[in-house]
Amino acid sequence: MLKTSLIFAAIALSALLLADLEISTLDPWLEFGRMAKGAVTPDFLAVWGFWHALLNTVVFALCGICLAVVFGVVLAFFFRFTPIRLFCAFVRAIHEIFWGFIFLSIVGLNSVCGVLAIAIPYAGIFAKVYAEIVQESDHRPREGVPTRCGGLSRFVYGILPVIYADAKHYTGYRFECALRSSAILGFIGLPTLGFHLETAFREGLYSEAAALLYVFYLLIASLRYWVKARFIPVYIAAAFVLLSWEITLSWANVARFFTYEILPWPMRREGVSTGSFDVSYAWMPIWQWIRDIIADEGGRGIWNTVILTQIVLVGTGVFTLLIFPFASRHFTGKIPSRISHYLLIILRTTPEYILAFVFVQLWGPSMLPAVWAILLHNGAILAFLTSNNADLVRLRLDAPHKRTDRYFYEILPRVYGQFLAFLFYRWEVMMRESAMLGILGVYTLGFYIDSAIEAVHMDKVVLLIFITALLNMGIDSVSQLVRRGLKISTKLVTSG
């Protein structure tokens, strides 16, 4: 494990030398002071004017999660088949914002766009996780179900009671993630909290922005009180009723998008120029078009995305190892550890896109805002999980009393394997985030996707998103190989 850690640290140090970490703003401290003043003087009166955006944030998340669970369960039944696994890996490898961009061109700027942008990638995630939960569950109860029973009966009586608690817990966690996704979809124009957050930050209304963020934190913190299993059907029914169905949709335009507009430009060039909309199947110009994009935008985007990902991967690991002791009962008292837990919850609740957006206002567009945004968001998640795992460790009678000795010789060796498992499990997520944050001006794949969208080059958009998905699938495969090689798992490690 140490050797692997040092190899990845060396790669990250090399990536630091190649990264663009420039601060381009004239006086970042002045802007930081204004943000800090806004943070301590939130304008909660302004929030009443945005209640509809808050409602939309919850409605989009509920509807998206509902559809994702339904399709995720269906796909999980067939997850053992390679085509289904690859399909799920592909759809979950594309960030929700990129799905939002795609559906903007199909259904327009409306609620269906937001719901589908959440539902599709989450369905791929649920399919994988549900299938893994079933695979790792106790198989003995299903052996008691009569063999003559159908597959549905075997699932209801032999599998569902065993996996229900884990599936329920994970689905609840994903709903929290869906609320974050719903909020940041406002940054592409959808009527959620992110839309008003972006406006407030761009106009320097930091008191208003702080109030919106605090309301969002309260929404996440209150989930345990109002998200009860017996009320879920009522919430879902209400969400679909409240969902805006004012959609101007032309099936002819949808068909044209999928059958013509996303085709490579060389296939459409002659048809567009003549107005005949004919399609050319000359493969050499198409191949040259693909090569040119990959050599230019695609190549630079991939390079910068990989550079950024490797920096934040190791940076997140270092941050986690430094921070998790402050939230563990083995190193701090009850009150300090509880305060640290709350701070970590705030950091992991804040979407990485919002963190990056704030840092861009401070430092300007470079990799620096993206590094800190991804590092803080993922580091808070890993520090929270690692501290919880550390608290499960029962200290030996001869455990060191000095905190540094206890850290290095007692706790860290016993949680380090699972820490690496969590870190490499998040590697693919960091890659998705690195690509997506290019929308804010960092020269990752998202930057070139956003530029192609502004130029209405949907063929290039689809190709670059396809490259992004393949890159994420590759990182996910490498992550699995590394975890398998180190023989580490994300299951909680007890004191043993």
Side-chain angles (χ1 to χ4, degrees):
M1 293 184 188
L2 179 60
K3 181 179 179 181
T4 301
S5 302
L6 292 175
I7 290 173
F8 276 91
I11 294 172
L13 289 173
S14 301
L16 272 174
L17 300 176
L18 301 170
D20 171 23
L21 302 174
E22 179 185 6
I23 297 177
S24 57
T25 51
L26 295 177
D27 193 349
W29 288 110
L30 176 62
E31 199 66 19
F32 179 78
R34 294 179 60 201
M35 288 184 180
K37 181 180 178 181
V40 297
T41 57
D43 183 10
F44 286 108
L45 293 177
V47 175
W48 294 110
F50 304 132
W51 67 269
H52 198 265
L54 180 64
L55 181 63
N56 280 336
T57 302
V58 178
V59 166
F60 287 9
L62 272 171
C63 294
I65 279 290
C66 177
L67 294 177
V69 168
V70 172
F71 289 109
V73 168
V74 174
L75 290 169
F77 277 108
F78 306 97
F79 198 75
R80 63 184 181 277
F81 298 112
T82 301
I84 298 298
R85 286 203 306 272
L86 292 176
F87 172 76
C88 293
F90 181 81
V91 297
R92 72 172 183 267
I94 301 174
H95 196 277
E96 300 87 78
I97 283 187
F98 292 154
W99 281 115
F101 279 140
I102 292 173
F103 286 113
L104 275 177
S105 303
I106 301 173
V107 301
L109 190 65
N110 53 54
S111 56
V112 172
C113 173
V115 171
L116 292 178
I118 295 172
I120 290 180
Y122 278 51
I125 294 171
F126 278 133
K128 176 188 177 184
V129 174
Y130 288 163
E132 290 178 348
I133 290 175
V134 172
Q135 183 180 1
E136 297 175 0
S137 65
D138 187 357
H139 291 191
R140 288 175 296 178
R142 73 188 72 173
E143 294 173 359
V145 180
T147 55
R148 64 179 179 274
C149 293
L152 182 60
S153 297
R154 293 180 65 82
F155 174 76
V156 171
Y157 295 106
I159 299 177
L160 185 58
V162 179
I163 69 169
Y164 178 76
D166 288 338
K168 175 186 173 183
H169 177 76
Y170 185 78
T171 304
Y173 165 71
R174 269 294 146 191
F175 177 59
E176 178 186 328
C177 297
L179 286 171
R180 292 199 293 266
S181 298
S182 180
I184 66 172
L185 284 172
F187 282 80
I188 65 172
L190 290 169
T192 62
L193 277 179
F195 178 82
H196 301 288
L197 270 172
E198 181 185 31
T199 302
F201 275 117
R202 289 196 185 279
E203 295 181 0
L205 304 175
Y206 296 129
S207 294
E208 183 178 300
L212 288 171
L213 275 177
Y214 295 157
V215 168
F216 184 67
Y217 295 150
L218 288 174
L219 173 65
I220 299 294
S222 67
L223 290 179
R224 67 177 66 182
Y225 301 109
W226 61 273
V227 179
K228 305 293 184 181
R230 62 183 179 274
F231 297 138
I232 294 299
V234 177
Y235 292 151
I236 292 175
F240 277 99
V241 169
L242 293 171
L243 192 67
S244 174
W245 294 99
E246 296 179 4
I247 303 167
T248 304
L249 180 63
S250 169
W251 289 109
N253 290 339
V254 173
R256 180 178 172 183
F257 176 84
F258 283 109
T259 62
Y260 194 78
E261 291 182 2
I262 64 174
L263 296 178
W265 173 244
M267 297 180 69
R268 299 180 292 119
R269 182 186 291 115
E270 185 175 346
V272 171
S273 62
T274 61
S276 63
F277 298 105
D278 291 334
V279 176
S280 169
Y281 293 98
W283 295 110
M284 285 305 296
I286 297 172
W287 176 240
Q288 186 61 45
W289 175 82
I290 294 174
R291 287 179 58 186
D292 289 345
I293 292 177
I294 293 177
D296 189 14
E297 292 103 323
R300 284 183 289 174
I302 291 172
W303 175 255
N304 289 325
T305 302
V306 172
I307 289 290
L308 177 57
T309 302
Q310 296 313 111
I311 293 173
V312 297
L313 176 68
V314 175
T316 298
V318 173
F319 178 86
T320 301
L321 294 178
L322 291 175
I323 296 300
F324 91 81
F326 294 98
S328 173
R329 63 183 176 84
H330 293 308
F331 301 98
T332 58
K334 184 176 181 180
I335 294 178
S337 67
R338 183 53 51 189
I339 293 173
S340 299
H341 266 284
Y342 288 143
L343 291 175
L344 291 176
I345 289 173
I346 290 174
L347 279 178
R348 73 182 179 92
T349 299
T350 308
E352 68 284 349
Y353 189 94
I354 293 177
L355 287 172
F357 189 85
V358 171
F359 292 145
V360 166
Q361 309 305 307
L362 287 174
W363 302 322
S366 72
M367 286 189 184
L368 188 61
V371 166
W372 279 104
I374 300 173
L375 184 156
L376 289 175
H377 177 74
N378 288 279
I381 293 173
L382 295 185
F384 184 84
L385 293 172
T386 306
S387 65
N388 287 343
N389 195 33
D391 286 344
L392 294 175
V393 174
R394 289 196 299 269
L395 296 178
R396 299 172 309 183
L397 295 177
D398 60 343
H401 292 286
K402 191 176 180 181
R403 291 177 182 177
T404 53
D405 291 340
R406 181 180 299 177
Y407 176 81
F408 285 109
Y409 300 113
E410 181 72 13
I411 301 297
L412 186 60
R414 300 170 74 175
V415 301
Y416 192 72
Q418 193 201 25
F419 153 73
L420 284 182
F422 282 130
L423 180 63
F424 287 123
Y425 191 81
R426 298 289 301 182
W427 191 5
E428 179 251 349
V429 176
M430 296 177 197
M431 176 70 77
R432 291 173 68 241
E433 294 168 349
S434 297
M436 177 271 296
L437 289 180
I439 297 171
L440 295 176
V442 186
Y443 291 119
T444 60
L445 281 163
F447 175 84
Y448 300 103
I449 291 171
D450 190 44
S451 299
I453 289 171
E454 291 183 0
V456 200
H457 293 160
M458 295 310 299
D459 52 350
K460 185 184 292 187
V461 170
V462 171
L463 176 61
L464 291 174
I465 289 178
F466 182 76
I467 291 172
T468 303
L470 291 181
L471 186 61
N472 277 272
M473 292 170 68
I475 287 293
D476 186 38
S477 298
V478 174
S479 172
Q480 292 181 37
L481 289 174
V482 171
R483 282 182 280 145
R484 194 176 299 124
L486 294 176
K487 298 179 180 180
I488 51 179
S489 169
T490 53
K491 281 186 170 292
L492 283 179
V493 178
T494 58
S495 54

